[in-house]
């Protein structure tokens, strides 16, 4: 499996199909960065801004990971895919492609979280004290950081499930796959039954008398996203195996 992962990673890098998701995620995360709050509300706004930044970065993982998964599933030429499937099995080859896209999304999520930590108002209070002190100031809100990372994980899993469901081998027509991916991304972010929407709805901070308390996305959205991903990935692996068996030898 390690050799397959290295092969799929090389396919993705050499095809340059990772460039658009990377640029899109960078622009979306930068556009969602909020400005510092003035006056006496600054202290209360520190944790709020950090939570909002993490939630925005997490939400943007859904479309970006979905299209990164689409790029991974359509990057390999048919002849190369057939050779790899014959050598290692179509199921393992498909699983390696899905894991590669998920790993790329994980890297983007980590980068987005780091950006939010370094640009949040709590870090901006120390403009000349170096990166270490800025990170230490941002980590003054550990519950908010942890809640934001859990929300990002839920959105990462949902984005991977969306990209897998709406693209080959489950949906082979290029135009239909593109439209279905966009529609599924919108539903994943807007529909109340979506684990990503549920996680984002419960994320953020709750003001108290003296501080800001993190709102955890809960275990149900995380379990729902994991189950959804497992079901869709299983269907994709089985469909890939069935497709290879139906090809003429």
């Amino acid at each position: 499996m390690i050799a397959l992962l290295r092969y799929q990673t090389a396919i993705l890098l050499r095809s340059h199909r990772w460039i658009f998701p990377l640029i899109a995620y960078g622009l979306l995360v930068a556009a969602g960065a909020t400005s510092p709050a003035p006056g006496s509300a600054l202290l209360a706004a520190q944790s709020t801004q950090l939570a909002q930044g993490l939630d925005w970065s997490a939400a943007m993982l859904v479309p970006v990971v979905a299209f990164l998964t689409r790029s991974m599933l359509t990057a390999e030429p048919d002849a190369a895919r057939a050779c790899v499937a014959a050598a290692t099995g179509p199921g393992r080859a498909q699983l390696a492609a899905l894991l590669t896209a998920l790993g790329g999304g994980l890297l983007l999520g980590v980068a987005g979280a780091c950006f939010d930590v370094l640009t949040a108002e709590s870090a901006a209070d120390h403009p000349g004290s170096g990166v270490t002190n800025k990170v230490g100031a941002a980590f003054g809100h550990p519950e908010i950081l942890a809640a934001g990372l859990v929300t990002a994980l839920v959105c990462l899993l949902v984005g991977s499930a969306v990209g897998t469901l709406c693209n080959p081998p489950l949906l082979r027509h290029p135009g239909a796959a593109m439209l279905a991916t966009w529609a599924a991304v919108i539903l994943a972010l807007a529909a109340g039954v979506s684990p990503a929407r549920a996680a984002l709805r419960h994320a953020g901070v709750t003001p108290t008398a003296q501080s800001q308390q993190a709102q955890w996305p809960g275990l149900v959205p995380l379990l729902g996203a994991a189950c959804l991903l497992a079901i869709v990935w299983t269907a994709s692996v089985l469909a890939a195996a069935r497709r290879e068996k139906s090809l003429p030898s």
Side-chain angles (χ1 to χ4, degrees), residues 74-225:
T74 58
E76 191 176 13
D78 293 338
R81 183 183 299 111
C83 292
V84 173
T88 63
R92 294 185 63 191
Q94 182 73 7
L95 181 60
L98 296 174
L99 287 173
T100 300
L102 184 66
L106 180 62
L107 292 178
L108 291 177
V110 171
C114 291
F115 175 83
D116 294 322
V117 166
L118 294 176
T119 58
E121 182 60 30
S122 55
D125 289 342
H126 305 269
S129 55
V131 174
T132 302
N133 289 335
K134 288 183 178 182
V135 173
F139 272 84
H141 311 290
E143 294 183 355
I144 294 176
L145 282 174
L149 292 177
V150 172
T151 304
L153 178 59
V154 173
C155 292
L156 173 68
L157 298 180
V158 171
S160 179
V162 167
T164 306
L165 179 65
C166 300
N167 289 284
L170 295 178
L171 190 57
R172 302 183 186 181
H173 192 279
M178 177 66 73
L179 293 176
T181 302
W182 276 115
V185 165
I186 295 173
L187 288 177
L189 292 174
V193 296
S194 167
R197 179 72 181 104
L200 292 168
R201 184 171 61 246
H202 291 93
V205 293
T206 301
T208 60
Q210 298 179 344
S211 63
Q212 303 275 327
Q213 292 184 349
Q215 288 184 330
W216 288 86
L219 187 61
V220 174
L222 182 59
L223 290 178

Side-chain angles (χ1 to χ4, degrees), residues 9-33:
T9 302
I11 287 289
L12 180 62
L13 293 178
R14 292 176 181 177
S15 67
H16 303 294
R17 297 193 178 196
W18 52 272
I19 295 178
F20 173 73
L22 176 63
I23 294 177
Y25 188 66
L27 291 176
L28 289 171
V29 170

Side-chain angles (χ1 to χ4, degrees), residues 23-53:
I23 294 177
Y25 188 66
L27 291 176
L28 289 171
V29 170
T34 56
S35 58
S40 60
L42 179 61
L43 181 61
Q46 291 177 0
S47 56
T48 302
Q49 183 185 357
L50 179 60
Q52 290 176 347

